[in-house]
Structure formats: structure tokens, C-alpha cells
């Protein structure tokens, strides 16, 4: 049940009341739930791993002006995306989400309405995937910084890794590619948010593929989520598996709004890329989302690690997606 946070974040009392509001919204009456034995309110959270499962942990920074801009991204989208990035990593491991920890720093002058909207976006997604906010920290800083830690559980020894792809495996992706990059380009050209964005916007409100990830356990040999762009993330998977790959250009499920370039290199689609042996029957749809075969895993050679097949032409596919700290020169 949404209750607005009545805090003004520039006084100690304001901070305390914000913490109280977050704690209330996180829904913790001291009762243990699932893996969480003790959530917000003590020095540490106390967790209880599920029987026969392993804990998987991921962490993601959302930095103002690097990952979002307040004039492009509505506050609800910033809250949603901050959590979605971590949930997508859990999806890529075939894990179910168990607990979230959020450290948030904001400028003292940030409007209360911004914080209300941020948490509305955050908790709407958290409620949908039944992940509980079990702790975090608040601070003041000249720019908004949101650091999310997510804990999930995967059946012991069964977590999907980047390192299991074998030559001959078929490469699949879920959903469509490039939609987020195309939507970001639109935001960029509009300069600021003019209309209320739709909940289905692939850039502002990406949906983590958690249900699909869990269905891939025991079926996929390797998996990664597409956060940095197909070419870069496929490169990571090839690297970890010690293999090469060839992608068939015509097979790519390019989003209707996107260019081929955006589908290959645009980041933040948060779809899953996975591999499975060619004899494995992979459904063409999982959890209502299309699944498309886009290429094959190859033996690693001294030549190009990744190739793009365009009809009869064979080109090197270079990782050209998002890379942190890449120079703009
Ligand atoms: Mg990832």
C-alpha cells in the first residue's frame, strides 16, 4: 500500500522520518519472510538461506548524469531501473530474488516529490517480484547515487554461468533488441520528458526476465543479461567460455523502432542471451516472451572471436556496446 513519504530530506528529523516511511513501505513488522529472518531496523539484516540452494549476490551503481538524467528520466523510472538492473543479473543466473539493499545519496535540495516517485517506482517492481527491501543507507551528496545490492537463491550447483557455452551450441535471445537505445535516442532529441511515459517503455521501465531465467536452469549451458549491448555481452560470454560465435544478421529480433546498429550495440535491453545444445528443444516463447535463435557457438580460433553473417558475407563483429570509462575521443 503506497503511503507518501512525508520527509523533507535536509534535516535529521526529516531523514529519520524518511527511514521510518521506507521501513513501513518495505512491509516489515518484524516477521521473518522467506529468506529474511530480520530486515530493516537492526545493525545488520539476518538471512536464512533456502534449503538446497546457494546465495547469489549482485551489486549495481546508478549514477546521476552517467546512468540517468533528472531531465530525461522520471523519478519513478530511476527507482524502477535501479532495481531492474540488479534483478536482471539475478535472472541471468537463473536465481529467484530474495532481498534487496539500497544505499541512496541525494542532494539536500532534492524535492520530496522526487523521492516519493523514486520509491513508488522501486516498490512497484519489488512488489511484483516479491523482493523485500531488507536494509540500506541514506546520505546527502551533490548528485543522486543509488547503489543496489541484490541477493537471490539458485538451486545448489545449478546457477547459470557465462562460462558453460560449447562449440555447436545454438545462441538465443529473449524479446527484441535495440528498443531501449531507440527510446533513449528519442529522449535525447526531446531533451526533456514532455509527456507521461508509458509503463511499457523499454528504456524507462525494462522488465527483468526472472521467470525465463528460472526456466532456463537445466536447459541453458550459459547465460548473460544484455545490459551493455549484444556485441559486448556476447563478447563477455565468449571470453568466459573460451569460445567464438557467429550471429546471423537476418535472424536478429530487431525492435520495430530500432536500427540494426542499436540492436547490435545499444545497451540496457535487459533481455537474456543464452546458449543450449542444438539437440535441446527450446520453446519459441517462454513466459509470454519470444525466444529467437540468432547464431551458433564456434570453436575459438586465432581469427575473429565473433562474426556477423550477412547473407554470404562474413564480417567481424566487434564489441561496441557500453563500456565504463571508455574515452569519448
Ligand atoms: Mg549482468
Amino acid at each position: 500500500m503506497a503511503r507518501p513519504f512525508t520527509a523533507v530530506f535536509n534535516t535529521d528529523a526529516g531523514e529519520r522520518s524518511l527511514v521510518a516511511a521506507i521501513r513501513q513501505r518495505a512491509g516489515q513488522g518484524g516477521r521473518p519472510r522467506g529468506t529474511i529472518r530480520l530486515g530493516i531496523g537492526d545493525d545488520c539484516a539476518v538471512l536464512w538461506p533456502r534449503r538446497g540452494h546457494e546465495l547469489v549476490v549482485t551489486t549495481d551503481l546508478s549514477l546521476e548524469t552517467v546512468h540517468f538524467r533528472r531531465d530525461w528520466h522520471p523519478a519513478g523510472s530511476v527507482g524502477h531501473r535501479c532495481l531492474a538492473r540488479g534483478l536482471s543479473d539475478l535472472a541471468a543466473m537463473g536465481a529467484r530474488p530474495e532481498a534487496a539493499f539500497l544505499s541512496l545519496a541525494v542532494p539536500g535540495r532534492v524535492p520530496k516529490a522526487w523521492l516519493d516517485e523514486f520509491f513508488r517506482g522501486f516498490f512497484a517492481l519489488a512488489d511484483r517480484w516479491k523482493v523485500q527491501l531488507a536494509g540500506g543507507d541514506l546520505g546527502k551528496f551533490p548528485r543522486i547515487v543509488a547503489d543496489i545490492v541484490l541477493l537471490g537463491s539458485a538451486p545448489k550447483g545449478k546457477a547459470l554461468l557465462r562460462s558453460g557455452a560449447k562449440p555447436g551450441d545454438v545462441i538465443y535471445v529473449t524479446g527484441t533488441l535495440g528498443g531501449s537505445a531507440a527510446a533513449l535516442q528519442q529522449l535525447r532529441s526531446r531533451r526533456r520528458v514532455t509527456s507521461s511515459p508509458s509503463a511499457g517503455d523499454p528504456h524507462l521501465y525494462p522488465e527483468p526476465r526472472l521467470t525465463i531465467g528460472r526456466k532456463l536452469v537445466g536447459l541453458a549451458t550459459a547465460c548473460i543479461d544484455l545490459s551493455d549491448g549484444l556485441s559486448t555481452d556476447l563478447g563477455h560470454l565468449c571470453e568466459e567460455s573460451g569460445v567464438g560465435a557467429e550471429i546471423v544478421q537476418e535472424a536478429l529480433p530487431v525492435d520495430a523502432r530500432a536500427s540494426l546498429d542499436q540492436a547490435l550495440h545499444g545497451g540496457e535491453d535487459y533481455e537474456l542471451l543464452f546458449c543450449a545444445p542444438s539437440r535441446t528443444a527450446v520453446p519459441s516463447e517462454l513466459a509470454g516472451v519470444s525466444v529467437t535463435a540468432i547464431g551458433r557457438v564456434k570453436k575459438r580460433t586465432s581469427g575473429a572471436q565473433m562474426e556477423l553473417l550477412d547473407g554470404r558475407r562474413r564480417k567481424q563483429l566487434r564489441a561496441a556496446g557500453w563500456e565504463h570509462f571508455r574515452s569519448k575521443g
Side-chain angles (χ1 to χ4, degrees):
M1 202 184 60
R3 202 189 75 158
F5 302 119
T6 49
V8 179
F9 193 55
N10 53 15
T11 62
D12 286 349
E15 187 174 335
R16 273 197 304 278
S17 83
L18 178 59
V19 171
I22 293 169
R23 185 177 178 180
Q24 202 243 356
R25 183 60 183 80
Q28 277 156 84
R31 261 179 310 125
R33 193 177 108 184
T35 293
I36 302 170
R37 193 168 159 186
L38 185 66
I40 297 173
D42 217 303
D43 293 305
C44 294
V46 181
L47 305 177
W48 217 330
R50 246 170 240 277
R51 191 189 292 265
H53 285 67
E54 292 171 315
L55 288 176
V56 297
V57 184
T58 178
T59 171
D60 272 294
L61 265 179
S62 294
L63 305 174
E64 185 175 13
T65 73
V66 176
H67 300 101
F68 67 91
R69 286 177 52 154
R70 257 188 282 171
D71 53 348
W72 292 354
H73 299 84
S77 161
V78 179
H80 175 106
R81 280 160 44 93
C82 155
L83 179 59
R85 291 174 65 193
L87 289 177
S88 179
D89 281 330
L90 292 184
M93 302 297 285
R96 68 192 281 172
E98 299 285 4
F101 298 86
L102 174 69
S103 292
L104 180 67
V106 295
R109 59 184 154 67
V110 86
K112 175 190 141 308
W114 194 94
L115 284 168
D116 287 347
E117 269 312 300
F118 173 91
F119 281 107
R120 210 186 306 281
F122 182 94
F123 282 117
L125 185 62
D127 290 350
R128 193 148 73 244
W129 293 105
K130 295 187 171 54
V131 54
Q132 194 173 326
L133 183 66
D137 199 8
L138 285 169
K140 255 179 277 178
F141 194 68
R143 290 225 169 115
I144 297 168
V145 176
D147 184 24
I148 186 93
V149 175
L150 277 168
L151 257 86
S153 59
K156 207 167 185 175
K158 298 269 172 61
L160 301 171
L161 306 179
R162 295 176 178 184
S163 55
K166 300 272 183 307
D169 283 358
V170 178
I171 302 170
Y172 298 87
V173 287
T174 62
T176 59
L177 303 174
S180 178
L184 178 63
Q185 197 178 44
Q186 253 189 0
L187 277 179
R188 215 174 243 151
S189 58
R190 247 193 280 152
R191 300 236 166 253
R192 56 181 57 244
V193 183
T194 48
S195 59
S196 62
S198 78
D201 185 292
H203 177 74
L204 297 176
Y205 299 96
E207 195 56 40
R209 300 305 190 193
L210 284 157
T211 309
I212 300 178
R214 287 176 66 186
K215 285 179 192 282
L216 293 179
V217 172
L219 187 151
T221 51
C223 186
I224 188 169
D225 68 315
L226 295 177
S227 53
D228 298 342
L230 174 71
S231 62
T232 295
D233 291 318
L234 177 62
H236 293 321
L237 186 142
C238 286
E239 199 60 44
E240 294 303 320
S241 291
V243 296
E246 64 178 30
I247 298 300
V248 180
Q249 189 172 301
E250 301 91 274
L252 289 170
V254 182
D255 185 280
R257 289 154 289 191
S259 65
L260 174 66
D261 211 57
Q262 286 171 327
L264 284 172
H265 311 298
E268 302 184 309
D269 281 319
Y270 297 110
E271 295 295 347
L272 296 180
L273 180 145
F274 64 95
C275 304
S278 55
R279 62 177 184 280
T280 301
V282 173
S284 59
E285 199 182 286
L286 282 168
V289 178
S290 62
V291 175
T292 311
I294 60 163
R296 248 176 216 280
V297 177
K298 310 286 280 184
K299 254 200 198 124
R300 189 155 204 170
T301 62
S302 52
Q305 186 189 328
M306 296 185 291
E307 290 181 315
L308 186 66
L309 300 183
D310 174 13
R312 285 183 172 180
R313 286 193 305 150
R314 187 176 281 270
K315 298 181 276 197
Q316 182 174 358
L317 176 62
R318 284 201 176 82
W322 168 273
E323 275 177 64
H324 296 273
F325 313 120
R326 187 174 52 183
S327 80
K328 287 196 178 120

